[in-house]
Amino acid sequence: MTAAPVDAPETGAGAKTDGRRAPLVLRNRAFGAVWLGQVLTQAAVRMFQVGVSWWIVAYAVHDARGLASGLFMAACTLPAVALAPVVAGAVARFAHRSVLRTSAALAGGAAAALAVWAYGGGLPLATVYAAGLALATCQAFFDPCLTTSVPELVDDADIETATGFELSTQSLAGLGGALLGALTVDRAGVAGLAAGCAAAYLAAALLVASARFRTATADGTAAADATDATDATGSTTDTARAAAGPQRRTLRRILGELPYVRRILVCFTTANLFTTAVFVVIPLYTRSVLQGGGGTVALLEASLGTGALVGAFTGTRVPGRPTVAGAYCLGLMALALAVPGLIADRPAVAGSLFVAGWCAGAVSVRFVALFQRLVPTADKPGFFAVMQAVLGASLPVASLVFGTAGDFLSPQTLCLVQGIGLVPAACALALLGSPAVDAGRPAEPVGGAR
């Protein structure tokens, strides 16, 4: 049954014109407000991470730059992994609007406090680390809660559109933040960077607070409009908790019945150890090899992010079974990541990062589609939540390992190590064969597979 609409019947900008409907963010004011809040938070956290990484390498640390930047990136990626069970419990127990609003407001407060401290001078490195950890912790609650709350914001017929809108703009917001991060630090320092992030987070909190959410029902749709359905203790009502449905199976049991999926996850967890190191390598490479500034960091980050965005839209057109296509993409990514280790030319490096980003985006689309077909519907919520945590666990490890290595090896050597490290994962993926054994039937073509 289709849920009741969030807002009044379509009028003005939301009405049909010449048989066409206005974009979802315009005809659904609640979703539009929350979507804009997502754009602001994603841009802010990415801007902070890129900006501080560049500040550490270019201004704050003179010895052990690699270790310092690696520790910072590890701190920024650890909360999403370590707090996954806590986040899942909070999203299930508390009203989603409250979780979104509170996490954005707390992040804004942390960024504002850092801005005030930085304007006063004498900013300790440990304080910046703590701020990065605080922002990443808030974002770890905001992102999965936003994805979960989509059915409370839009009609059932618009869920796929809203999800696609959310995922695509997430990449665009991250790209915009990456462009602004290093440039802001070069011009306004950490104080200006933190002030910009604080404004974005607080604006997001206000936007979320202005949106009307609906109470989710047992069938996954949304009931009539309602404000935060909480009792006196701040938790959701018994009815809302009951709507969560039956207990999900553990990930161990799910993967035990899907060995093909399990092997793919192992391949990509291994590959992530080398691909995600690029976020530590880019600032080191810019300063030591290209002798560039914040503008160069912005160019390289933009090349990587643009490539990933293009790959996300075109990945389904890559021919062949997902494992074969994924193996080719990992092989191409290995070559692309190794190019900066051989050619120290800014346009060549930017082009190679664009190719690497395209491969990452294409691979993600193909395999998420494959998992959607292979994982039973009842197991998907638990599977995808823990899948993100498993893959994300490689981020802090890669940051620390490559950051520490950056104090002993040249950035060009690190680029070669990244490329070489992807080769075994590409080979293992190519040898996996068909998913028919897991599916219990002939494999279905996915995204152009034959």
Side-chain angles (χ1 to χ4, degrees), residues 6 28 30-31 33-35 38 91-92 94-101 141-155 158-159 162-163 166 208 211-217 220-223 228:
V6 173
N28 185 321
F31 178 75
V34 176
W35 165 79
Q38 177 209 10
V91 172
F94 297 101
H96 294 156
R97 185 170 69 171
S98 294
V99 175
L100 294 171
R101 181 182 57 209
F141 282 87
F142 191 95
D143 289 340
C145 184
L146 177 63
T147 302
T148 306
S149 64
V150 166
E152 301 171 31
L153 294 166
V154 302
D155 293 341
D158 289 325
I159 286 179
T163 301
E166 174 199 340
V208 171
R212 289 189 296 169
F213 284 58
R214 298 173 296 188
T215 304
T217 59
T221 61
D228 297 339

Side-chain angles (χ1 to χ4, degrees), residues 263-353:
R263 295 185 191 109
I264 291 175
L265 289 180
V266 171
C267 288
F268 280 110
T269 301
T270 303
N272 272 7
L273 289 171
F274 298 95
T275 58
T276 55
V278 71
F279 299 115
V280 175
V281 174
I282 283 178
L284 297 174
Y285 192 95
T286 298
R287 179 169 178 81
S288 302
V289 180
L290 299 179
Q291 304 297 319
T296 301
V297 175
L299 171 66
L300 300 185
E301 290 278 358
S303 299
L304 184 68
T306 303
L309 189 62
V310 174
F313 283 107
T314 61
T316 55
R317 301 179 184 177
V318 179
R321 293 199 316 270
T323 49
V324 175
Y328 280 125
C329 286
L330 286 184
L332 180 58
M333 188 188 297
L335 291 175
L337 291 177
V339 165
L342 303 173
I343 305 174
D345 177 71
R346 187 163 67 169
V349 173
S352 66
L353 287 177

Side-chain angles (χ1 to χ4, degrees), residues 41-284:
T41 60
Q42 287 289 338
V45 73
R46 189 75 183 116
M47 182 172 73
F48 188 82
Q49 291 173 1
V50 172
V52 170
S53 293
W54 175 241
W55 174 75
I56 289 172
V57 171
Y59 300 102
V61 178
H62 302 290
D63 298 316
R65 291 189 180 99
L67 176 60
S69 61
L71 280 172
F72 173 73
M73 289 305 299
C76 290
T77 54
L78 191 60
V81 179
L83 298 178
V86 178
V87 171
V91 172
R93 180 182 180 190
F94 297 101
H96 294 156
R97 185 170 69 171
S98 294
V99 175
L100 294 171
R101 181 182 57 209
T102 302
S103 58
L106 289 176
L114 180 66
V116 171
W117 195 328
Y119 275 120
L123 184 66
L125 190 61
T127 303
V128 180
Y129 282 19
L133 183 64
L135 295 188
T137 300
C138 293
Q139 201 70 38
F141 282 87
F142 191 95
D143 289 340
C145 184
L146 177 63
T147 302
T148 306
S149 64
V150 166
E152 301 171 31
L153 294 166
V154 302
D155 293 341
D156 184 68
D158 289 325
I159 286 179
E160 288 189 3
T161 302
T163 301
F165 214 101
E166 174 199 340
L167 294 177
S168 61
T169 52
Q170 190 173 29
S171 300
L172 287 172
L175 174 59
L179 279 170
L180 292 173
L183 292 173
T184 302
V185 166
D186 277 352
R187 288 162 174 75
V190 173
L193 179 74
C197 292
Y201 273 116
L202 293 176
L206 292 175
L207 286 166
V208 171
S210 70
R212 289 189 296 169
F213 284 58
R214 298 173 296 188
T215 304
T217 59
D219 62 358
T221 61
D225 293 344
T227 56
D228 297 339
T230 56
D231 57 22
T233 64
S235 63
T236 51
T237 61
D238 291 339
T239 301
R241 282 195 295 268
Q247 292 292 322
R248 306 296 184 185
R249 297 192 301 166
T250 64
L251 184 69
R252 177 179 298 181
R253 183 175 177 184
I254 297 170
L255 294 182
E257 298 175 2
L258 299 171
Y260 181 78
V261 172
R262 183 176 66 245
R263 295 185 191 109
I264 291 175
L265 289 180
V266 171
C267 288
F268 280 110
T269 301
T270 303
N272 272 7
L273 289 171
F274 298 95
T275 58
T276 55
V278 71
F279 299 115
V280 175
V281 174
I282 283 178
L284 297 174

